[in-house]
Amino acid sequence: MTPQPAPRPARQPQAAVGTPRSRVDGRLKVTGQARFAADHGPADGIDGIVHAVLVDATIGRGRITSIEARAALAVPDVLTVIHHGNAPRLPYRDNSFPDSIHPPGERLRAFQDNHVRFFGQPVAVVVATTLEAARHAARLVEVTYDAEPPQLDLVTAPAHEPDIYTRGDAAAALASAPVQLEMTYRMGRNHHNAMEPHAIVARWDGDRLTVWEKTQWVADPRNELAAVFGIPQAAVRCYSRFVGGAFGNSGRTWVHSVAAALAARELRRPVKLVLSRRQLYFGIGFRPAYEYGVRLGSERDGRLTAVVHDVRGETSRYERHSDDLALGRMLYDTPNFRQDVRLVPLDVNTPTWMRGPGWSTTATALETSLDELAHELGIDPIELRIRNEPADDPATGQPFSTRRLHECYTTGMREFGWHRRSSRPRAVREGDWLIGMGMAAGAYPAESAPAQAHARLGADGTVVVRSASSDMGPGTTTSMAQVAADALGLPMWSVQFQLGDSMMPPAPVHALAWTMASVGSAVQATCDRLRRKAVALAVGDDRSPLHGVPADEVVVRRGWLHTRADPRRGETYQQLLARNGRTHLEAVGGYEPPEEIRYSMYAYSAIFAEVAVDARLGIVRVRRMLGVFDAGRIVNPKLADSQAHGGMIGGLGQALLEHTVTDPRDGRILNANLADYLVPTNADATDIRAIYIEGVDNEAAPIGVKGLGEVVQVGVAPAIANAVFNATGRRVRDLPITPEALLMPR
Amino acid sequence: MFPFTYTRATSVHEAIEAGERGGRYIAGGTTLVDLMRETVERPRALVDIVGLPLSDVSATPRGGLRIGALARMADVAADPVVRQTYPAVAQALELSASAQLRNMATIGGNVMQRPRCAYFRDVSAPCNRREPGSGCSALEGYNRTHAILGTSEHCVATHPSDLAVVLTALEATVHMVGPEGRRATPIGQFLLQPGDTPDREQDLRPGELIVALEIPPLPRPLRSGYLKVRDRESYEFALTSVAVALHIRGGVIHTAKVAAGGVGTIPWKLPAVEQHLVGRRPSPDLWAQAAERAADGARPLVHNGFKTELLRRTVERQLRIVGGRS
Ligand SMILES: Cc1cc2nc3c(=O)[nH]c(=O)nc-3n(C[C@H](O)[C@H](O)[C@H](O)COP(=O)(O)OP(=O)(O)OC[C@H]3O[C@@H](n4cnc5c(N)ncnc54)[C@H](O)[C@@H]3O)c2cc1C
Ligand code: SF4
């Protein structure tokens, strides 16, 4: 891949970027025409598809002693049952970063041994010509086990060596601090619960494998399946045009995808495998549970002198997933800070990223602890934060590229009506309801990664731009078209952005809120280059009205190339191409993050929540929420709102409802469905509003964005928890906050 | 799903015949098909009864209400007669499930619905209700949503229906037709506590079909209402719930009907609360005193201990809401 010089600032007028456009694929989605992974079949030239259904382990740890498949094989239409006893040994080449995003460890392999590492682990796959037969036969596979009690206790299980971050002398500073607080917060395990289930269609053509997969990164199934089957990466192609939500659980390629590809290879037929809703709680990761100890030392005026975080987080026994828990290091000006993070290996499947990964976890501990300190000192929580606002990044000493958190606070206070909050808890009552307000801050790194794009301008004046990105819901297909439209001076309708094919120019994993910074910058660079090519062709063409005009003086608007000085002097892309006998013009381009990072770059959030708590019945309802975000340029306010609302609703779930429940006896997940795993309903999320602080960040990305998709969930849960305290005077340190934790004496 | 046959009954008679031969009735299918997918239910023959003319909702001559077994939850909730005469019925239905489910589900099926216990619904877990004698996983397992009343060492699952709580409070009758003719039973005897036969959930004989549920006439004016406490605002079964109906005349409570949900293995009638109310004048103190008796006999498990106090408070709240602040 060829690094491109940073693009010159666009001199094009901004027409599409910054405007609230509807999704270009909205109609396809609501009319059922958008084809998600499981929808692929004959219409895509995939004939003779057969159906695979996984058999899940029913113990929490141990060994398989026997697998009896006769009854399953006797079901009409069943083709095969594959398990460790009959599966071929697969090469399983190493596939580590940067080819994959596997955490360190030994990845779970499909049917390669008789170990059961967690409840629900796939132990066999049944394939049949009909889905019904496969499903039924999967129930008839009899597996016997030698079961052992699983280790599932985050608090008591032995932990790995801690990962330690330290600056200053936190222990000494804490010991001498005039004000000292110590708390322990616990956060339940969360599952992503995307609407679309994980699904894959796998087809072999000789030694070449094609998959239609639900993924946030088409390169990952390609690289992982190539590694597993010992074939070149170029022999695998992955398509993923639409993703029906993912929230992080489709970044890495899970074992069910290998199972499908293996079955397809054994049977020499295309295989489709769709996880059931229940199976979506078994093997595709989750936000780990945490026990998060916090000790704070401060001056009487609230200035933090010492912060100590002692963290225990779940991982599996076979891999080390670690979330990035760095929020505490940079949010406040603390000279003395120490953080010990211990991963606790348990008999669970490996956790993975989930929206606002790590940052929303730390925000819950840090931002609740600050609220506790504010209460202890009798200082307004926002005032306390402002007193601890750093001038430069306290972790790196670097200046901030942009940090408009203070503006987030002031805007939020005004718009939310913060002055109406009583600083005394349990002071506002409306009938049976106690009313309270709370707030919390958050941040999320504004990162970017190399990306490339290809753009092709046709003789009809329309453009197709392509990059191997993904769109799990933020509206990437739409926002990239906006960027391309402005760079090329075209109306939206003549620009099409295509993604989701591993043969396209490479893009980074669609996660970490960095797609717009990375792919967006690549699209802009590519389209700038394509426009300049067209302009060069025009100004050098003596039949063009633009002949001889300095290239910098030419702009394009609605497909009309003209001089800046005289909009009437110009021509269209079509005229230019036709006269020059060109069928098309094309350009490839890309984006490389700068090698040296000189700034501390983050997106910020300030979240405000008002809750009503029925003091006698313990019910909490969020009456209003406001998120104020400093995320740099907002490419599409309508899509941004849908991101922000979704993230804040996710945070509401974290605070009050979401909690994967495991039976400690055997690891059985007891709420593996959407009736029992509670996510917020519309009735729970009635009044949610987002405000974006204006301003671009040209250090964070050439197109000035800092990323929005993750920060919108960071700080939401603690804002709600703090509001519950303000309403009731009761500090609940375990999330989710349940009625039983709030049932109060009269 | 295990293989099954499917037929559609065109008359009550035909349905009963098919039922007698072992056919399983399917109405809206919102409980049954779900459980068939999980292979908890494995009927060999389904008899679809939705086409039968059993969906009338009508006032009975002396002011009661008769609801056909095949009336949809949504239709009953919207019925003007229901809303006027027994608002608690409409409230309980509107607080049940989701709009989509209420459009499919029937009243008969609602009363017949099976436990929501996670172990019951997971065929790889021991469960006495599903497999008598295999053990009860919930007893020593995760039992936050389970019952504190009417439990046995064999099963502690709650009856999940909201409507049935109202029907229990109002002492409704279940009308059935079977191979041996018509029969009627009070709902309090129709739904069975687990005892040592947790797999027997209702007093329904082979081939018997519920045709209607009838709420007896009660003295008017009657105030009634249903309160449901749950973690989220919508689309969740009750942690606790209470149905209350009061006939207050001359400032004195003459009739009190109270039952609770989310706490019992069947909808839990609260006679001690009712008795304490009758003959007394409404007052905040009265609500509190009556509610103190709501959880008599409760036997909490490891994770559902909070329900004992929550039940009392839910009863007190709902007495106040229905009985007024006077
Ligand atoms: C996600 C979800 C959430 C829910 N939430 C709630 C809730 O909050 N509150 C609540 O009360 N309910 C709730 N329900 C349950 C729902 O109300 C019941 O599933 C529904 O009422 C059952 O009616 P049906 O017609 O679909 O019954 P079916 O599924 O057709 O039948 C259920 C059972 O009743 C039997 N049966 C049906 N009709 C008759 C008859 N006339 N005579 C004899 N036997 C009969 C069937 O054989 C079967 O065993 C929920 C259900 C789901 C799936
Ligand atoms: S409570 Fe009842 S339904 Fe649940 S596991 Fe025990 S026996 Fe089965």
Side-chain angles (χ1 to χ4, degrees), chain B residues 24-25 27-32 73 96-97 101 105-106 109-110 112-113 161-162 210 228 235 237:
Chain B
R24 182 71 178 274
Y25 299 133
T30 60
T31 285
L32 190 53
M73 288 169 74
S96 298
L101 284 159
T106 65
N110 186 286
M112 291 289 294
Q113 67 177 289
S161 165
D162 290 299
I210 302 176
K228 184 172 180 181
Y235 197 36
F237 290 92

PDB file of all heavy atoms in Angstrom, chain B residues 24-25 27-32 73 96-97 101 105-106 109-110 112-113 161-162 210 228 235 237, ligand 1:
ATOM      1  N   ARG B  24     -53.236 -31.419  20.620  1.00  0.00           N
ATOM      2  CA  ARG B  24     -52.952 -30.289  21.508  1.00  0.00           C
ATOM      3  C   ARG B  24     -53.531 -29.027  20.890  1.00  0.00           C
ATOM      4  O   ARG B  24     -53.281 -28.738  19.722  1.00  0.00           O
ATOM      5  CB  ARG B  24     -51.442 -30.170  21.643  1.00  0.00           C
ATOM      6  CG  ARG B  24     -50.986 -29.091  22.549  1.00  0.00           C
ATOM      7  CD  ARG B  24     -51.298 -29.458  23.995  1.00  0.00           C
ATOM      8  NE  ARG B  24     -50.805 -28.425  24.867  1.00  0.00           N
ATOM      9  CZ  ARG B  24     -49.561 -28.393  25.328  1.00  0.00           C
ATOM     10  NH1 ARG B  24     -48.733 -29.370  25.013  1.00  0.00           N
ATOM     11  NH2 ARG B  24     -49.168 -27.399  26.091  1.00  0.00           N
ATOM     12  N   TYR B  25     -54.318 -28.301  21.664  1.00  0.00           N
ATOM     13  CA  TYR B  25     -54.929 -27.086  21.124  1.00  0.00           C
ATOM     14  C   TYR B  25     -53.882 -26.004  20.916  1.00  0.00           C
ATOM     15  O   TYR B  25     -53.017 -25.786  21.750  1.00  0.00           O
ATOM     16  CB  TYR B  25     -56.013 -26.565  22.076  1.00  0.00           C
ATOM     17  CG  TYR B  25     -57.125 -27.559  22.284  1.00  0.00           C
ATOM     18  CD1 TYR B  25     -57.589 -27.855  23.562  1.00  0.00           C
ATOM     19  CD2 TYR B  25     -57.684 -28.221  21.196  1.00  0.00           C
ATOM     20  CE1 TYR B  25     -58.603 -28.779  23.754  1.00  0.00           C
ATOM     21  CE2 TYR B  25     -58.697 -29.149  21.379  1.00  0.00           C
ATOM     22  CZ  TYR B  25     -59.142 -29.433  22.657  1.00  0.00           C
ATOM     23  OH  TYR B  25     -60.127 -30.357  22.835  1.00  0.00           O
ATOM     24  N   ALA B  27     -53.928 -21.901  19.980  1.00  0.00           N
ATOM     25  CA  ALA B  27     -54.738 -20.701  19.713  1.00  0.00           C
ATOM     26  C   ALA B  27     -53.805 -19.676  19.065  1.00  0.00           C
ATOM     27  O   ALA B  27     -53.420 -19.834  17.912  1.00  0.00           O
ATOM     28  CB  ALA B  27     -55.360 -20.213  21.009  1.00  0.00           C
ATOM     29  N   GLY B  28     -53.388 -18.660  19.800  1.00  0.00           N
ATOM     30  CA  GLY B  28     -52.462 -17.687  19.209  1.00  0.00           C
ATOM     31  C   GLY B  28     -51.069 -18.248  18.975  1.00  0.00           C
ATOM     32  O   GLY B  28     -50.303 -17.742  18.167  1.00  0.00           O
ATOM     33  N   GLY B  29     -50.734 -19.270  19.703  1.00  0.00           N
ATOM     34  CA  GLY B  29     -49.432 -19.933  19.526  1.00  0.00           C
ATOM     35  C   GLY B  29     -48.268 -19.213  20.179  1.00  0.00           C
ATOM     36  O   GLY B  29     -47.124 -19.648  20.073  1.00  0.00           O
ATOM     37  N   THR B  30     -48.523 -18.127  20.897  1.00  0.00           N
ATOM     38  CA  THR B  30     -47.401 -17.323  21.397  1.00  0.00           C
ATOM     39  C   THR B  30     -46.669 -17.986  22.566  1.00  0.00           C
ATOM     40  O   THR B  30     -45.510 -17.686  22.813  1.00  0.00           O
ATOM     41  CB  THR B  30     -47.859 -15.912  21.837  1.00  0.00           C
ATOM     42  OG1 THR B  30     -48.813 -16.045  22.881  1.00  0.00           O
ATOM     43  CG2 THR B  30     -48.471 -15.144  20.677  1.00  0.00           C
ATOM     44  N   THR B  31     -47.346 -18.860  23.263  1.00  0.00           N
ATOM     45  CA  THR B  31     -46.641 -19.677  24.259  1.00  0.00           C
ATOM     46  C   THR B  31     -46.193 -20.985  23.623  1.00  0.00           C
ATOM     47  O   THR B  31     -45.042 -21.391  23.724  1.00  0.00           O
ATOM     48  CB  THR B  31     -47.555 -19.993  25.465  1.00  0.00           C
ATOM     49  OG1 THR B  31     -47.666 -18.827  26.272  1.00  0.00           O
ATOM     50  CG2 THR B  31     -46.993 -21.120  26.321  1.00  0.00           C
ATOM     51  N   LEU B  32     -47.111 -21.612  22.960  1.00  0.00           N
ATOM     52  CA  LEU B  32     -46.863 -22.984  22.509  1.00  0.00           C
ATOM     53  C   LEU B  32     -45.758 -23.079  21.452  1.00  0.00           C
ATOM     54  O   LEU B  32     -44.864 -23.922  21.556  1.00  0.00           O
ATOM     55  CB  LEU B  32     -48.182 -23.576  21.972  1.00  0.00           C
ATOM     56  CG  LEU B  32     -48.167 -25.067  21.673  1.00  0.00           C
ATOM     57  CD1 LEU B  32     -47.680 -25.873  22.866  1.00  0.00           C
ATOM     58  CD2 LEU B  32     -49.563 -25.535  21.260  1.00  0.00           C
ATOM     59  N   MET B  73     -56.217 -10.818  23.280  1.00  0.00           N
ATOM     60  CA  MET B  73     -55.906  -9.909  24.390  1.00  0.00           C
ATOM     61  C   MET B  73     -56.142  -8.456  23.997  1.00  0.00           C
ATOM     62  O   MET B  73     -56.711  -7.679  24.758  1.00  0.00           O
ATOM     63  CB  MET B  73     -54.446 -10.100  24.831  1.00  0.00           C
ATOM     64  CG  MET B  73     -54.195 -11.393  25.573  1.00  0.00           C
ATOM     65  SD  MET B  73     -52.418 -11.736  25.799  1.00  0.00           S
ATOM     66  CE  MET B  73     -51.981 -10.550  27.077  1.00  0.00           C
ATOM     67  N   SER B  96     -49.511  -6.252  29.660  1.00  0.00           N
ATOM     68  CA  SER B  96     -48.958  -7.578  29.361  1.00  0.00           C
ATOM     69  C   SER B  96     -48.197  -7.565  28.045  1.00  0.00           C
ATOM     70  O   SER B  96     -48.619  -6.923  27.083  1.00  0.00           O
ATOM     71  CB  SER B  96     -50.077  -8.612  29.217  1.00  0.00           C
ATOM     72  OG  SER B  96     -50.797  -8.736  30.404  1.00  0.00           O
ATOM     73  N   ALA B  97     -47.127  -8.308  28.014  1.00  0.00           N
ATOM     74  CA  ALA B  97     -46.430  -8.632  26.761  1.00  0.00           C
ATOM     75  C   ALA B  97     -46.199  -7.388  25.922  1.00  0.00           C
ATOM     76  O   ALA B  97     -45.856  -6.332  26.430  1.00  0.00           O
ATOM     77  CB  ALA B  97     -47.204  -9.696  26.002  1.00  0.00           C
ATOM     78  N   LEU B 101     -47.749  -9.199  20.447  1.00  0.00           N
ATOM     79  CA  LEU B 101     -48.203 -10.433  21.103  1.00  0.00           C
ATOM     80  C   LEU B 101     -49.681 -10.343  21.453  1.00  0.00           C
ATOM     81  O   LEU B 101     -50.426 -11.303  21.271  1.00  0.00           O
ATOM     82  CB  LEU B 101     -47.380 -10.691  22.366  1.00  0.00           C
ATOM     83  CG  LEU B 101     -45.967 -11.226  22.124  1.00  0.00           C
ATOM     84  CD1 LEU B 101     -45.075 -10.971  23.323  1.00  0.00           C
ATOM     85  CD2 LEU B 101     -46.011 -12.709  21.800  1.00  0.00           C
ATOM     86  N   ALA B 105     -52.346 -13.232  20.804  1.00  0.00           N
ATOM     87  CA  ALA B 105     -52.616 -14.125  21.937  1.00  0.00           C
ATOM     88  C   ALA B 105     -54.081 -14.073  22.357  1.00  0.00           C
ATOM     89  O   ALA B 105     -54.719 -13.029  22.310  1.00  0.00           O
ATOM     90  CB  ALA B 105     -51.721 -13.737  23.105  1.00  0.00           C
ATOM     91  N   THR B 106     -54.570 -15.215  22.844  1.00  0.00           N
ATOM     92  CA  THR B 106     -55.965 -15.304  23.267  1.00  0.00           C
ATOM     93  C   THR B 106     -56.067 -15.365  24.790  1.00  0.00           C
ATOM     94  O   THR B 106     -55.093 -15.645  25.481  1.00  0.00           O
ATOM     95  CB  THR B 106     -56.609 -16.575  22.699  1.00  0.00           C
ATOM     96  OG1 THR B 106     -55.945 -17.714  23.286  1.00  0.00           O
ATOM     97  CG2 THR B 106     -56.487 -16.636  21.183  1.00  0.00           C
ATOM     98  N   GLY B 109     -55.546 -18.966  26.094  1.00  0.00           N
ATOM     99  CA  GLY B 109     -54.115 -19.271  26.077  1.00  0.00           C
ATOM    100  C   GLY B 109     -53.380 -18.525  27.176  1.00  0.00           C
ATOM    101  O   GLY B 109     -52.429 -19.038  27.773  1.00  0.00           O
ATOM    102  N   ASN B 110     -53.847 -17.326  27.469  1.00  0.00           N
ATOM    103  CA  ASN B 110     -53.181 -16.531  28.501  1.00  0.00           C
ATOM    104  C   ASN B 110     -53.260 -17.202  29.867  1.00  0.00           C
ATOM    105  O   ASN B 110     -52.289 -17.266  30.612  1.00  0.00           O
ATOM    106  CB  ASN B 110     -53.809 -15.131  28.556  1.00  0.00           C
ATOM    107  CG  ASN B 110     -53.064 -14.234  29.512  1.00  0.00           C
ATOM    108  OD1 ASN B 110     -53.183 -14.379  30.715  1.00  0.00           O
ATOM    109  ND2 ASN B 110     -52.263 -13.332  28.975  1.00  0.00           N
ATOM    110  N   MET B 112     -53.686 -20.278  30.315  1.00  0.00           N
ATOM    111  CA  MET B 112     -53.007 -21.576  30.199  1.00  0.00           C
ATOM    112  C   MET B 112     -51.485 -21.444  30.052  1.00  0.00           C
ATOM    113  O   MET B 112     -50.792 -22.447  29.983  1.00  0.00           O
ATOM    114  CB  MET B 112     -53.536 -22.325  28.969  1.00  0.00           C
ATOM    115  CG  MET B 112     -54.972 -22.795  29.086  1.00  0.00           C
ATOM    116  SD  MET B 112     -55.145 -24.156  30.245  1.00  0.00           S
ATOM    117  CE  MET B 112     -54.229 -25.452  29.411  1.00  0.00           C
ATOM    118  N   GLN B 113     -50.994 -20.249  29.951  1.00  0.00           N
ATOM    119  CA  GLN B 113     -49.557 -20.091  29.649  1.00  0.00           C
ATOM    120  C   GLN B 113     -48.687 -20.757  30.698  1.00  0.00           C
ATOM    121  O   GLN B 113     -49.060 -20.883  31.851  1.00  0.00           O
ATOM    122  CB  GLN B 113     -49.173 -18.627  29.469  1.00  0.00           C
ATOM    123  CG  GLN B 113     -49.267 -17.778  30.711  1.00  0.00           C
ATOM    124  CD  GLN B 113     -48.800 -16.356  30.431  1.00  0.00           C
ATOM    125  OE1 GLN B 113     -47.621 -16.106  30.230  1.00  0.00           O
ATOM    126  NE2 GLN B 113     -49.731 -15.423  30.412  1.00  0.00           N
ATOM    127  N   SER B 161     -49.157 -15.080  34.252  1.00  0.00           N
ATOM    128  CA  SER B 161     -50.196 -14.249  33.631  1.00  0.00           C
ATOM    129  C   SER B 161     -50.586 -13.048  34.494  1.00  0.00           C
ATOM    130  O   SER B 161     -50.757 -13.162  35.705  1.00  0.00           O
ATOM    131  CB  SER B 161     -51.435 -15.093  33.378  1.00  0.00           C
ATOM    132  OG  SER B 161     -52.536 -14.252  33.111  1.00  0.00           O
ATOM    133  N   ASP B 162     -50.752 -11.911  33.853  1.00  0.00           N
ATOM    134  CA  ASP B 162     -51.304 -10.732  34.530  1.00  0.00           C
ATOM    135  C   ASP B 162     -52.815 -10.827  34.628  1.00  0.00           C
ATOM    136  O   ASP B 162     -53.405 -10.571  35.675  1.00  0.00           O
ATOM    137  CB  ASP B 162     -50.922  -9.462  33.762  1.00  0.00           C
ATOM    138  CG  ASP B 162     -49.437  -9.150  33.875  1.00  0.00           C
ATOM    139  OD1 ASP B 162     -48.967  -8.942  35.008  1.00  0.00           O
ATOM    140  OD2 ASP B 162     -48.747  -9.144  32.832  1.00  0.00           O
ATOM    141  N   ILE B 210     -61.259 -24.886  26.966  1.00  0.00           N
ATOM    142  CA  ILE B 210     -61.826 -23.719  27.654  1.00  0.00           C
ATOM    143  C   ILE B 210     -62.662 -22.959  26.639  1.00  0.00           C
ATOM    144  O   ILE B 210     -62.189 -22.684  25.532  1.00  0.00           O
ATOM    145  CB  ILE B 210     -60.730 -22.793  28.204  1.00  0.00           C
ATOM    146  CG1 ILE B 210     -59.818 -23.562  29.158  1.00  0.00           C
ATOM    147  CG2 ILE B 210     -61.328 -21.581  28.883  1.00  0.00           C
ATOM    148  CD1 ILE B 210     -58.654 -22.731  29.674  1.00  0.00           C
ATOM    149  N   LYS B 228     -48.662  -3.083  38.221  1.00  0.00           N
ATOM    150  CA  LYS B 228     -47.603  -4.046  37.897  1.00  0.00           C
ATOM    151  C   LYS B 228     -46.253  -3.398  38.137  1.00  0.00           C
ATOM    152  O   LYS B 228     -45.964  -2.337  37.597  1.00  0.00           O
ATOM    153  CB  LYS B 228     -47.758  -4.447  36.419  1.00  0.00           C
ATOM    154  CG  LYS B 228     -46.789  -5.506  35.948  1.00  0.00           C
ATOM    155  CD  LYS B 228     -47.167  -5.960  34.535  1.00  0.00           C
ATOM    156  CE  LYS B 228     -46.211  -7.020  34.031  1.00  0.00           C
ATOM    157  NZ  LYS B 228     -46.533  -7.464  32.656  1.00  0.00           N
ATOM    158  N   TYR B 235     -43.056  -4.475  28.538  1.00  0.00           N
ATOM    159  CA  TYR B 235     -42.587  -5.732  27.976  1.00  0.00           C
ATOM    160  C   TYR B 235     -41.763  -6.528  28.968  1.00  0.00           C
ATOM    161  O   TYR B 235     -40.632  -6.901  28.709  1.00  0.00           O
ATOM    162  CB  TYR B 235     -41.762  -5.433  26.707  1.00  0.00           C
ATOM    163  CG  TYR B 235     -41.558  -6.617  25.794  1.00  0.00           C
ATOM    164  CD1 TYR B 235     -42.546  -7.577  25.619  1.00  0.00           C
ATOM    165  CD2 TYR B 235     -40.360  -6.782  25.110  1.00  0.00           C
ATOM    166  CE1 TYR B 235     -42.349  -8.655  24.791  1.00  0.00           C
ATOM    167  CE2 TYR B 235     -40.160  -7.868  24.272  1.00  0.00           C
ATOM    168  CZ  TYR B 235     -41.150  -8.801  24.121  1.00  0.00           C
ATOM    169  OH  TYR B 235     -40.943  -9.863  23.298  1.00  0.00           O
ATOM    170  N   PHE B 237     -42.476  -9.378  32.489  1.00  0.00           N
ATOM    171  CA  PHE B 237     -43.385  -9.970  33.454  1.00  0.00           C
ATOM    172  C   PHE B 237     -43.246  -9.249  34.788  1.00  0.00           C
ATOM    173  O   PHE B 237     -42.267  -8.542  35.028  1.00  0.00           O
ATOM    174  CB  PHE B 237     -43.095 -11.469  33.589  1.00  0.00           C
ATOM    175  CG  PHE B 237     -43.499 -12.228  32.364  1.00  0.00           C
ATOM    176  CD1 PHE B 237     -42.599 -12.460  31.341  1.00  0.00           C
ATOM    177  CD2 PHE B 237     -44.805 -12.667  32.222  1.00  0.00           C
ATOM    178  CE1 PHE B 237     -42.984 -13.129  30.199  1.00  0.00           C
ATOM    179  CE2 PHE B 237     -45.193 -13.339  31.068  1.00  0.00           C
ATOM    180  CZ  PHE B 237     -44.286 -13.575  30.055  1.00  0.00           C
TER     181      PHE B 237
HETATM  182  C1  LIG C   1     -42.071 -12.352  25.068  1.00  0.00           C
HETATM  183  C2  LIG C   1     -43.375 -12.590  25.758  1.00  0.00           C
HETATM  184  C3  LIG C   1     -43.768 -11.723  26.768  1.00  0.00           C
HETATM  185  C4  LIG C   1     -44.961 -11.938  27.420  1.00  0.00           C
HETATM  186  N1  LIG C   1     -45.330 -11.088  28.421  1.00  0.00           N
HETATM  187  C5  LIG C   1     -46.486 -11.324  29.099  1.00  0.00           C
HETATM  188  C6  LIG C   1     -46.902 -10.492  30.163  1.00  0.00           C
HETATM  189  O1  LIG C   1     -46.239  -9.503  30.499  1.00  0.00           O
HETATM  190  N2  LIG C   1     -48.034 -10.804  30.812  1.00  0.00           N
HETATM  191  C7  LIG C   1     -48.822 -11.877  30.469  1.00  0.00           C
HETATM  192  O2  LIG C   1     -49.835 -12.096  31.090  1.00  0.00           O
HETATM  193  N3  LIG C   1     -48.455 -12.665  29.465  1.00  0.00           N
HETATM  194  C8  LIG C   1     -47.316 -12.424  28.771  1.00  0.00           C
HETATM  195  N4  LIG C   1     -46.941 -13.250  27.769  1.00  0.00           N
HETATM  196  C9  LIG C   1     -47.693 -14.485  27.552  1.00  0.00           C
HETATM  197  C10 LIG C   1     -48.798 -14.327  26.549  1.00  0.00           C
HETATM  198  O3  LIG C   1     -49.793 -13.526  27.084  1.00  0.00           O
HETATM  199  C11 LIG C   1     -49.293 -15.739  26.274  1.00  0.00           C
HETATM  200  O4  LIG C   1     -48.293 -16.369  25.510  1.00  0.00           O
HETATM  201  C12 LIG C   1     -50.573 -15.756  25.500  1.00  0.00           C
HETATM  202  O5  LIG C   1     -51.593 -15.148  26.214  1.00  0.00           O
HETATM  203  C13 LIG C   1     -50.956 -17.184  25.181  1.00  0.00           C
HETATM  204  O6  LIG C   1     -52.086 -17.171  24.343  1.00  0.00           O
HETATM  205  P1  LIG C   1     -52.084 -17.918  22.944  1.00  0.00           P
HETATM  206  O7  LIG C   1     -53.423 -17.772  22.377  1.00  0.00           O
HETATM  207  O8  LIG C   1     -50.972 -17.467  22.109  1.00  0.00           O
HETATM  208  O9  LIG C   1     -51.823 -19.390  23.473  1.00  0.00           O
HETATM  209  P2  LIG C   1     -51.147 -20.630  22.749  1.00  0.00           P
HETATM  210  O10 LIG C   1     -49.682 -20.457  22.721  1.00  0.00           O
HETATM  211  O11 LIG C   1     -51.834 -20.950  21.492  1.00  0.00           O
HETATM  212  O12 LIG C   1     -51.504 -21.749  23.803  1.00  0.00           O
HETATM  213  C14 LIG C   1     -50.973 -21.752  25.098  1.00  0.00           C
HETATM  214  C15 LIG C   1     -51.416 -22.996  25.830  1.00  0.00           C
HETATM  215  O13 LIG C   1     -52.790 -22.949  26.100  1.00  0.00           O
HETATM  216  C16 LIG C   1     -53.463 -24.047  25.528  1.00  0.00           C
HETATM  217  N5  LIG C   1     -54.751 -23.511  25.082  1.00  0.00           N
HETATM  218  C17 LIG C   1     -54.926 -22.401  24.314  1.00  0.00           C
HETATM  219  N6  LIG C   1     -56.227 -22.130  24.183  1.00  0.00           N
HETATM  220  C18 LIG C   1     -56.899 -23.087  24.877  1.00  0.00           C
HETATM  221  C19 LIG C   1     -58.269 -23.333  25.119  1.00  0.00           C
HETATM  222  N7  LIG C   1     -59.228 -22.533  24.640  1.00  0.00           N
HETATM  223  N8  LIG C   1     -58.599 -24.405  25.873  1.00  0.00           N
HETATM  224  C20 LIG C   1     -57.629 -25.211  26.383  1.00  0.00           C
HETATM  225  N9  LIG C   1     -56.346 -25.030  26.184  1.00  0.00           N
HETATM  226  C21 LIG C   1     -55.969 -23.961  25.440  1.00  0.00           C
HETATM  227  C22 LIG C   1     -52.564 -24.556  24.454  1.00  0.00           C
HETATM  228  O14 LIG C   1     -52.736 -25.914  24.220  1.00  0.00           O
HETATM  229  C23 LIG C   1     -51.203 -24.269  25.051  1.00  0.00           C
HETATM  230  O15 LIG C   1     -50.843 -25.257  25.966  1.00  0.00           O
HETATM  231  C24 LIG C   1     -45.779 -13.029  27.063  1.00  0.00           C
HETATM  232  C25 LIG C   1     -45.395 -13.887  26.040  1.00  0.00           C
HETATM  233  C26 LIG C   1     -44.200 -13.671  25.382  1.00  0.00           C
HETATM  234  C27 LIG C   1     -43.805 -14.601  24.279  1.00  0.00           C
END
